Amino acid sequence: MEMSLKGYLASGRVLIADGATGTMLMAAGLPAGAAPEIWNIEAPVQIMALHQTYLEAGSQIILSNSFGGSPIKLAKYGLAERAVELNHAAASLARQAAGDRAYVAGDIGPTGELMEPLGELTPDTAFEAFKLQAEALVEGGVDALWIETMSDLEEARAAVLAAKQVTHLPVFCSLSFGIKSRTMMGVSAGRAAAELWPLGLAAVGANCGEGLDMIPEVLRQMREAAPDAVLIAKPNAGLPRIVGKETVYDVGPDDFARQMQGFVELGARVVGSCCGSNPEYIGALTAALAGQG
Ligand SMILES: [Zn+2]
């Protein structure tokens, strides 16, 4: 890319991210019950191919295949000891795919454990796990870290603080909101932005979640709570429905792109798609935004 990611974000231009990884890998044959991160070692060609399809569709920043790469999450698959190796591989595959024509964000998702007092996860344990993951991703050559799909504010904070401790690269954080603009753990969009943006984020916003209808309210609350924030909108392709044995999402690429254009008008500057989407969604979004420009 011709400029640093910080410079790009400061320019106020829209940055197009990628779409779903997990649902795409399952479609590509990732066995049910397998950790997607194991494919960074065992099927790197598939991971590279997925990155390539998003880059060809117009993604300017792609997320590494490391969503479940915290050692706490990997422990559920007996892979905790391989956390450094799997995250490093995720970052370097994304870097190889993007070369210098797109930015790479090291993806960090939730641990899957509940924080105290509901569960046993403590802020310190979460911090250490995210720190190990963040270090391996940075070492693997990313341009940014992107903490996503968070619903617990304390877990999100632990991840942001860990990321900020290991790198001066831009750190993004997006949370997953339900239809009432609150996360599963009850955190409002306004509170999330008010507490996370001052930690020194490069962008804050929403990804995944229950469809697209809550995005305008999420953006409004975040803008009010953090007027200077760079806002992210990377929602699912609508709501999931079970048809036969398959899960399908109810918003198609063109409808998705049209709604996303509206979110850009409301201030979103980092845009993309999440579960149920594929490169067609990013292609439609890229075309729609080019027409708007
Ligand atoms: Zn999702």
Side-chain angles (χ1 to χ4, degrees):
M1 302 295 274
E2 75 279 17
M3 64 167 88
S4 74
L5 181 51
K6 277 184 182 140
Y8 189 98
L9 293 170
S11 76
R13 282 193 281 162
V14 175
L15 182 68
I16 301 172
D18 59 8
T21 300
T23 47
M24 288 290 289
L25 292 180
M26 281 187 258
L30 179 75
E37 292 73 24
I38 197 70
W39 267 20
N40 296 329
I41 302 295
E42 292 180 359
V45 174
Q46 301 268 27
I47 302 300
M48 290 281 283
L50 178 62
H51 289 321
Q52 289 299 347
T53 59
Y54 279 122
L55 291 164
E56 281 158 22
S59 295
Q60 298 164 300
I61 183 167
I62 57 169
L63 276 75
S64 64
N65 179 40
S66 52
F67 177 79
S70 77
I72 296 172
K73 184 73 181 272
L74 288 172
K76 299 183 201 325
Y77 303 93
L79 294 170
E81 266 72 67
R82 295 180 68 184
V84 169
E85 174 198 8
L86 294 172
N87 283 288
H88 191 278
S92 63
L93 286 173
R95 179 82 275 158
Q96 277 177 61
D100 57 8
R101 69 193 166 117
Y103 302 112
V104 170
D107 189 6
I108 296 177
T111 60
E113 294 292 323
L114 290 172
M115 298 288 283
E116 283 182 332
L118 295 174
E120 290 175 1
L121 189 65
T122 67
D124 285 352
T125 314
F127 177 89
E128 290 305 326
F130 289 130
K131 191 177 158 201
L132 180 143
Q133 182 180 12
E135 272 170 340
L137 291 167
V138 169
E139 193 67 25
V142 300
D143 302 301
L145 292 170
W146 189 329
I147 296 149
E148 64 163 349
T149 325
M150 285 288 167
S151 64
D152 187 304
L153 191 52
E154 291 316 309
E155 187 177 6
R157 188 199 315 275
V160 173
L161 293 174
K164 295 294 291 181
Q165 193 181 84
V166 306
T167 184
H168 294 295
L169 293 171
V171 177
F172 296 13
C173 183
S174 51
L175 297 91
S176 175
F177 293 97
I179 45 176
K180 299 214 185 308
S181 311
R182 285 179 181 268
T183 70
M184 214 163 49
M185 301 303 291
V187 183
S188 72
R191 177 149 177 249
E195 303 221 4
L196 297 172
W197 177 254
L199 300 179
L201 290 175
V204 67
N207 79 286
C208 210
E210 290 184 72
L212 292 95
D213 293 350
M214 92 299 265
I215 296 288
E217 174 62 11
V218 167
L219 295 173
R220 191 195 66 73
Q221 285 188 23
M222 287 194 162
R223 173 61 71 229
E224 190 177 280
D228 302 329
V230 175
L231 299 176
I232 302 167
K234 195 175 186 292
N236 290 343
L239 292 166
R241 267 186 305 130
I242 306 294
V243 176
K245 283 184 181 169
E246 280 181 52
T247 305
V248 297
Y249 284 75
D250 64 359
V251 176
D254 292 334
D255 187 13
F256 183 86
R258 189 181 51 73
Q259 295 196 51
M260 289 297 296
Q261 263 183 303
F263 303 155
V264 168
E265 281 160 26
L266 293 175
R269 284 297 172 270
V270 182
V271 296
S273 55
C274 199
C275 300
S277 74
N278 57 47
E280 271 184 68
Y281 286 73
I282 298 301
L285 177 58
T286 302
L289 293 176
Q292 195 172 48

